Amino acid sequence: MSQGLSYETRHRAGDALSTHRHATAYAALTLAGCYLERSADGPVACAPGTMIVHPAFHAHGNRFGHLGARVINIPVSATVNTLTVCQAHHLGEALDVFRNAPALLDELLRAARPHQRHALADWHAPFLEALRAGDEPVGTIATRLGVSAAHASRSIQAAYGMSPQLLRREYRWRSALAMLPTTRSLADIAALAGFADQSHLTRVTRSISGASPAALRRGIKCVQDPATVPPVE
């Protein structure tokens, strides 16, 4: 899975990174401190030993705790298409893999134990499913699930780092990105992913990746080469 050398990042207590993306997939291992990562996949509390594998163009933000954090990162194959979160049994062994034996990353992840995820309100799951499914107004979804629109917006922003509207766009973008390697036309992809039309898909894709869907598709192979994927500013 691994395709590059590891690098460490250090973050001071109370630091925050707003929602951002990396053009290539990568794995992160928390070495010290703690932080909360928020994305369309939900909040993840990261402590020493937590490992996260991010797909290419995964949108997430980070808020670091009172001890700050040290994190080691390593690029991985761009064929990763879902977020993976797990907990290493032994931090030292995991660090050795990240630093010295990246070829063993797959084995390390398979041997890791599940990560304890945040408990969220019961209405979150059907709310998110409604966002994915269509264009039902956020206020209508909230009322149907027994919460106010204002409360729903605050709660979703706090848990996922995005407003409901941006979260809906993110789900649509992910759906379209997953279909780009196929032979479907871009117009069909736009319709199937829930965009108004191909132009709408193009605008969103450019805003996220810096490239058109056609250019992004050209950079995606059956076994993707991260070097061919346009960078994110």
Side-chain angles (χ1 to χ4, degrees), residues 145-218:
L145 295 174
V147 294
S148 71
H151 175 69
S153 293
R154 288 193 301 270
S155 182
I156 293 299
Q157 178 75 44
Y160 304 93
M162 305 178 203
S163 68
Q165 292 83 358
L166 286 179
L167 201 53
R168 173 177 275 157
R169 188 188 80 160
E170 184 67 17
Y171 289 139
R172 289 175 175 172
W173 150 252
R174 287 186 178 190
S175 178
L177 182 63
M179 287 187 278
L180 282 181
T182 72
T183 58
R184 294 184 185 276
S185 71
L186 293 178
D188 283 348
I189 289 174
L192 288 168
F195 290 96
D197 51 32
Q198 185 176 337
S199 295
H200 185 199
L201 170 62
T202 297
R203 291 194 300 274
V204 170
T205 302
R206 284 190 182 278
S207 70
I208 288 174
S209 70
S212 69
L216 197 58
R217 168 178 263 178
R218 288 193 296 269

Side-chain angles (χ1 to χ4, degrees), residues 1-3 7 22-28 52-58 74-82 224 226 229:
M1 176 185 284
S2 174
Q3 292 191 339
Y7 59 96
H22 300 256
T24 56
Y26 74 101
I52 308 182
V53 182
H54 304 83
F57 296 112
H58 185 268
I74 189 165
V76 301
S77 167
T79 55
V80 173
N81 52 29
T82 57
Q224 292 175 314
V229 181

Side-chain angles (χ1 to χ4, degrees), residues 18-20 36-44 58-62 117-129 131-132 152-164 166-168 170-171 174:
S18 59
T19 300
H20 60 284
L36 181 68
E37 177 165 303
R38 298 182 302 170
S39 75
D41 298 286
V44 177
H58 185 268
H60 53 273
N62 310 97
R117 301 300 293 266
H118 269 264
L120 297 170
D122 290 342
W123 60 266
H124 275 215
F127 188 94
L128 299 183
E129 184 55 37
L131 289 181
R132 292 187 183 96
S153 293
R154 288 193 301 270
S155 182
I156 293 299
Q157 178 75 44
Y160 304 93
M162 305 178 203
S163 68
L166 286 179
L167 201 53
R168 173 177 275 157
E170 184 67 17
Y171 289 139
R174 287 186 178 190

Side-chain angles (χ1 to χ4, degrees), residues 63 87 156 200 225:
R63 184 172 296 279
Q87 193 74 22
I156 293 299
H200 185 199
D225 176 1

Side-chain angles (χ1 to χ4, degrees), residues 64-87:
F64 299 91
H66 68 283
L67 297 176
R70 285 178 55 226
V71 182
I72 186 168
N73 308 275
I74 189 165
V76 301
S77 167
T79 55
V80 173
N81 52 29
T82 57
L83 187 77
T84 298
V85 184
C86 54
Q87 193 74 22

